[in-house]
Amino acid sequence: MERQVKSGKMVVRYVAILHLQTVFLLGIETLAVLGHAPTSEAPRQGPHFTSCLSREQETFRCWWSTGSFQNLSQPGALRVFFLKENSISRNWTECPDYTRSVPNECFFNKTYTSIWTSYCVQLRSGAQNVTYDERCFSVENIVHPDPPIGLNWTLLNVSRSGLHFDIMARWEPPPSADVKTGWMTLVYEVHYRERNSSRWEVLDLEIGTQQSIFGLHTNKEYEVRVRCKMRTFRNFGDFSESIFVHVSQIPSKESTFPVTLVFIFGAIAVAILLILVIFSQQQRLMVILLPPVPAPKIKGIDPELLKKGKLDELSSILSSHPIYKPEMFHEDPWVEFIELDLDGMEAGEKMGCSDTQRLLGVGAQLGSSHGLGVKDDDSGRASCYEPELPEADPDTLAAICLAQHEKGATSLLPQSNLSATTAGGTPPDPDPAPIRDPIPCPTHRPESRPLVQTQLSTHSWINMDFYAQVSDVTPTGGVMLSPSQQSRVTEKIPVEKKEGQDAQVPEKENVGEQQKKAEGKKRFQLLIVTPEEGAYTSEVDAQKVSSGYSHEKSCEDSIPQTIQPPAKKISQEACQQLGGPTGDYQSPYLLPPPIPVPPVSDYTVVQDVDAQHSLLLNPTTTVTATPAPTPTPTLTKPSPAMAVGYLSPDLLGNLPL
Amino acid sequence: CVLHCWSLFVLLLMCLDLHTLVESAPICAHGHTGCHSPTLSDLFDRVIQHSARMHGLSSDLHSDFEQYFLPSRNQIGRINRKCHTAYILTPNGKENAQRLAREELTEVILKLLAAWRDPLSQFHRSMARHEDFTSISGNKALEMSDMVHQLKNGVEKVAEKMQLLGMISNSLMSLSSTEALAPHSASSEARSMSDYELLYCFRRDSNKVQNYLKILKCRIVAEHGC
């Protein structure tokens, strides 16, 4: 309330001052008028300042007009005096420079111009007795910059339709204004209008020296001009000269329109095609680009089983599993057996015992009975069975079996021959593969295959290294072989012999065959042990076997020229490592009948071991009929089956599969 | 004991360093790596921008005041009334300003800014009491008084930097002495001024400050065209 009163008072005060001043001036003017000219009806106006302005804030000028006082037009009739605010002497000084070229102009140069200083100029008569007009100002407030120069325009773009266009107008600041040092900061205002229009379009103040104008119509002429002022002040300078903008419509633009459209559509179509192709061939592409990484696993074994720890299922699976380390497989379980009878097994190995024999403990018994003599005899080492049984196909196995059997059969009968051949040293084995080697059966004797098959069918297992007729499985895991082996073998001998002879149709091979047979005989000597007592063999028999078997092939010799070179080593190792008789096994093993007795007993190929560890025998199967889904030969089938039966759970872990 | 003495000595040194750092108060500590200390040109630009804004504000306020209180402006001469900063000798032209020594010019600027701190806060308070004025104007007044303070600090920093770079001698008077030199009458005169007069004077002085800064920058940074 008080404030309002105070401000009201101020207003009143100011208004009063204003009135006084106007009255004063009017009074002066009337006096002047009265003093100089007769009164007239027309609005009489004495000499007065028309304007005072500065162009660059460094100098300024004042113009006056005589008004209706015509007699004052001569120079010197009117004089200008000025007073600066800070002048020491409060004297009115006359205009420093009356411009000659321009009438009624007073020019204040730099020395007389003080910025931020109040000036008062007075228009006096020549005699200085009359003051016609007075003005007070500060120079910075009367600055009107010069118009910008160099106004021109450039085309920014034309609309797609070709009806509108945009331009960029550019100009330069007035040269008189010192913008570089920053003495004057200018802002610009652009106007434009259509040629025939009377109204100017005003754009916003622009600090820079360019301005873009949008939305102009083609085929129309435009006029553009610009002016400037000091940034924080109000006085605009003059306008620059106008420029004219005209852009004619270009119809040819449309010709490029469809071309670009065509390109765009083409690209889209190609992209769609690609996407379709990718989606249709997604599977294949996925396989190609991102081949599935096989998780580390054993084929056929579900890792879940391992996690659950179901050893029974696992063992059954493993038994049927093709992938395993044959050499290790062969070694470890046999080693377990062999451990107890180190010497014996070595001897047995040297004598060329097959896996079956090893399993049955033939070699072990033999070895143990014969002692070290046999063991040290390197020459007596028979060919070791190739552990690379998995790689052999059933055919080769069949051939092997056949050859072995044949040889065994032939060798069995003529004992004299046997002794002769054994005495004669080791005849060279013309066979590409030694008989001992189960894998590379003498494939050049295909005719012997039916012999094998028949023999197999007749269950003669003696000379077949892989097969043994198992009559029973003991609780401890021992396999009991059929006690009727000998009789059957005996029966079968002539049959075999005959068949073997039948097989020897090609007479040219007689000699070789004889030799082979002899070899086979001697190799099979150890195998044939008569289980007269049913389950056990006597030492006498064992000695017989061992004595009869004077000539043995070394492990190295026995190693056939197999197709699989690494097998050699393994077989060698198997041969050499064969030590440690299987002392664990307590079950008695049926040994094969003695040498002169050809084994004719039936044999059964163990197909599989079921969950209860019972052997699944398949008496009618042939070698070829052995389950061949696995790449491993049938030898592996019974062996793991039997092995599983003998393996204790803690040994299962050692099972190299 | 030796260890203690040594540690104390090191601490003392550090304290001294910190003290000097604090006193000089640069934007980045000396010798700091990876710290981008603004160049003198940048500092000048900032300060000039600030002064331009300040001048714009003062001009707006002044014109508002004029419209409100005085419809016709050219009729009234302000020759009788002096601004309270009249005691500060300021160059009144471009050449004068260019001829003036850098140190003196800087000093003038600082003096001007120092002289306006109190009157502006006073003005703001009086503006707040005015019920006639709109809140916008009141905000402007407040902003203006803050700006003066900030601008003074900015110019001080610029001066320090210039001294650091050896562009001006160290004869620049400290701030306290600058303010101390102000005659006592100036402050009393400021208090007696009306709001309009205050605005008028401040508008003029802010324009002075802006232009002086520009001239100073041109001279010191030595850009093309200066």
Side-chain angles (χ1 to χ4, degrees), chain A residues 488-506:
Chain A
R488 266 183 267 152
V489 167
T490 325
E491 287 164 10
K492 291 291 176 183
I493 283 170
V495 175
E496 289 172 0
K497 181 183 191 281
K498 190 174 85 176
E499 286 167 344
Q501 283 177 345
D502 288 342
Q504 294 170 21
V505 171

Side-chain angles (χ1 to χ4, degrees), chain A residues 7 21 115 178 182 185 232, chain B residues 55 59 75 92 94 132 214:
Chain A
S7 60
Q21 286 203 341
I115 320 297
D178 192 1
T185 316
T232 47
Chain B
H55 177 58
S59 182
Q75 307 292 336
N92 281 329
K94 190 173 84 170
D132 316 323
K214 284 184 181 175

Side-chain angles (χ1 to χ4, degrees), chain A residues 4 10 14 43 82 138 179 208 211 234 267 291 322 328 332 344 413 446 461 467 472 575 583 597 601:
Chain A
Q4 271 180 342
M10 279 173 65
Y14 285 129
F82 71 94
S138 274
V179 286
Q211 173 79 277
R234 304 182 209 98
M328 290 174 71
D332 287 359
L413 197 56
W461 56 268
Y467 306 108
D472 195 9
C575 282
V597 180
S601 62

Side-chain angles (χ1 to χ4, degrees), chain A residues 232-259:
Chain A
T232 47
F233 296 92
R234 304 182 209 98
N235 305 313
F236 273 105
D238 288 335
F239 279 105
S240 66
E241 286 181 9
S242 297
I243 55 164
F244 296 96
V245 178
H246 179 79
V247 172
S248 58
Q249 204 165 11
I250 302 164
S252 64
K253 275 277 181 184
E254 297 185 9
S255 65
T256 59
F257 206 73
V259 175

